[in-house]
Amino acid sequence: MSRKYSHVVVVGIDGAGAWVKDADTPHFDRIFANGAVTYGALSSNPSISAECWGSMLLGVGPEIHKLTNGIVSSTPYPTDSPFPSLFRRIREVYPDAELGSYCDWNPITYGIVENNIGVSHDTAKDDELTPIICDYIRNKKPEFLFIQLDSVDGAGHKHGYGTPEFLARLNVVDGYVNDIYNACDEAGIIEETLFIVIADHGGTNPGNGQGGSHGGWTDGEKYVTFAATGKTVNNIKIEEMNIRDLAAIVLYAFGIEEPQFDEKGWTSQIPAGLFDDKNIPPYRDISHLTGAAPRISKVPHTSELI
Ligand SMILES: [Zn+2]
C-alpha cells in the first residue's frame, strides 16, 4: 500500500451525536461541501467516551478493548497492548513522524494513547486549547493530529442534547473547526491533508430544563456525525459506518496495512465509496465474526451496521 496523504487531522467533537445537521454550522458545511458526510455513523455500545474514543483510536470495539472512563483516567495505556493505538501503528512505520494528541478530556491522551512514543500533547478547555492547537499546526505541521473538544458534551450534560443551548455551543465549536482547518491552510499542508470531523456519541434530552446523559442506545445517543475531505475523498453521503472505522481510514491514508478481521478482534473497515480507490474491499457485514474469535463477546455486530 502506498501512502495517500502526508497529513491526517481528526477533530473529535465529544457528544455532538448527529446534531451537526440541526445546528448552525456554516464552517462545517463549507469545509465538507465536496467531501463525504454522514449523520448516521454508529457509535460504540455503551455510548460512553472511553469506550467510543477507544474504538476509534484502537480499531476494536469496547467488547474487545474493555476500556472505561475509570480505566483511561487512572491507567496509562499499555505500550505492549495487543491493540496498539493509531499513534503506535503510525510510529512503528514512520519513526520520525510528528504526531499530536490534543484533547480537552486528557484521559484520551493518557489512557488510550501509549505514553512513551513521542506524541506531542496538551490539554485545556477547548476555548483555550484551540489556539494552542493552531500554533502547533503552524509550527510543527503534524503528520497525524488527533483533537478532542469537550464543551458540546458539557452543554448536553447541562442543558440536554439537541436543546437550543446545546446547538448554540455546537455553533461555537464549528468556529473552532474552522480555526483548525485554516491553520492547516496557513501551514501550507491542507492540500495534502485528510481532514476529518467525528463525534463519539450523542445523548438524551429529558426536557424540563434537565441535563442530558448518554451511555444507552437510543437514536439520540447512538447515531453520530462523520465527515471527511481530502484530495481522494468522494463527494458522497456515507451509507454505512461505525465509529471504529476511523482507525482503518487513518491507516489507509498513511499506507499502513490494517489487521485482518479475524486477527485480534480487529473490526475496523473503510466505508464504501469514501475514497476514489477501486482497490478498497467492499464494506462487509461482519456479523459472522460474533463469537468467532475468543476476544469478541456476544455483543451483536449485525445491528451495528445501519
Ligand atoms: Zn464522549
Side-chain angles (χ1 to χ4, degrees):
M1 281 176 72
S2 61
R3 187 168 175 174
K4 307 295 191 299
Y5 289 85
S6 301
H7 308 270
V8 178
V9 175
V10 176
V11 184
I13 306 178
D14 207 290
W19 280 287
V20 176
K21 72 174 185 297
D22 300 321
D24 180 24
T25 53
H27 302 298
F28 176 95
D29 298 345
R30 187 187 65 256
I31 290 168
F32 296 104
N34 296 311
V37 179
T38 177
Y39 302 105
L42 209 65
S43 180
S44 284
N45 190 359
S47 56
I48 300 173
S49 290
E51 280 86 336
C52 294
W53 296 118
S55 299
M56 292 184 238
L57 289 169
L58 305 173
V60 300
E63 68 276 19
I64 296 166
H65 65 61
K66 300 194 184 306
L67 295 177
T68 64
N69 285 0
I71 291 171
V72 303
S73 299
S74 62
T75 314
Y77 194 65
T79 52
D80 60 349
S81 171
F83 317 115
S85 78
L86 281 174
F87 289 93
R88 188 177 134 202
R89 291 186 190 277
I90 295 167
R91 174 61 76 221
E92 286 172 351
V93 178
Y94 303 103
D96 300 324
E98 175 60 38
L99 312 177
S101 177
Y102 284 68
C103 298
D104 186 336
W105 191 56
N106 199 52
I108 295 172
T109 304
Y110 181 70
I112 309 179
V113 180
E114 296 82 358
N115 291 191
N116 63 345
I117 57 170
V119 176
S120 299
H121 58 93
D122 204 345
T123 183
K125 295 293 179 194
D126 54 28
D127 296 325
E128 291 94 48
L129 187 60
T130 300
I132 294 170
I133 291 167
C134 292
D135 282 344
Y136 171 69
I137 291 170
R138 286 185 287 257
N139 293 331
K140 297 288 188 178
K141 301 178 177 31
E143 281 150 282
F144 178 50
L145 173 57
F146 178 82
I147 295 161
Q148 180 261 3
L149 305 175
D150 205 50
S151 65
V152 170
D153 191 55
H157 281 291
K158 186 172 182 185
H159 302 287
Y161 293 75
T163 58
E165 295 89 344
F166 175 94
L167 297 177
R169 189 61 208 177
L170 204 36
N171 171 260
V172 172
V173 169
D174 181 57
Y176 297 157
V177 171
N178 187 50
D179 292 344
I180 293 162
Y181 185 86
N182 286 344
C184 294
D185 196 7
E186 289 157 21
I189 63 172
I190 198 65
E191 298 297 326
E192 293 298 322
T193 295
L194 175 63
F195 191 85
I196 291 170
V197 167
I198 191 167
D200 57 338
H201 53 73
T204 64
N205 176 22
N208 302 320
Q210 297 178 62
S213 65
H214 56 84
W217 207 235
T218 61
D219 286 358
E221 292 164 286
K222 72 182 180 184
Y223 292 124
V224 306
T225 303
F226 170 87
T229 185
K231 60 186 180 179
T232 66
V233 173
N234 286 319
N235 187 200
I236 61 158
K237 179 183 181 302
I238 297 167
E239 295 294 333
E240 201 171 60
M241 172 174 180
N242 189 293
I243 57 169
R244 63 175 178 258
D245 295 334
L246 179 73
I249 293 165
V250 173
L251 292 184
Y252 167 84
F254 283 106
I256 300 172
E257 195 152 348
E258 64 192 69
Q260 297 302 303
F261 279 151
D262 57 354
E263 180 188 319
K264 295 178 178 174
W266 178 266
T267 44
S268 184
Q269 53 184 331
I270 298 172
L274 175 57
F275 293 112
D276 183 17
D277 183 346
K278 292 184 171 52
N279 293 320
I280 294 173
Y283 200 80
R284 283 162 281 182
D285 179 347
I286 55 174
S287 55
H288 64 284
L289 287 177
T290 303
R295 287 193 181 88
I296 296 178
S297 74
K298 295 298 181 187
V299 174
H301 288 278
T302 309
S303 64
E304 299 178 15
L305 297 173
I306 56 168

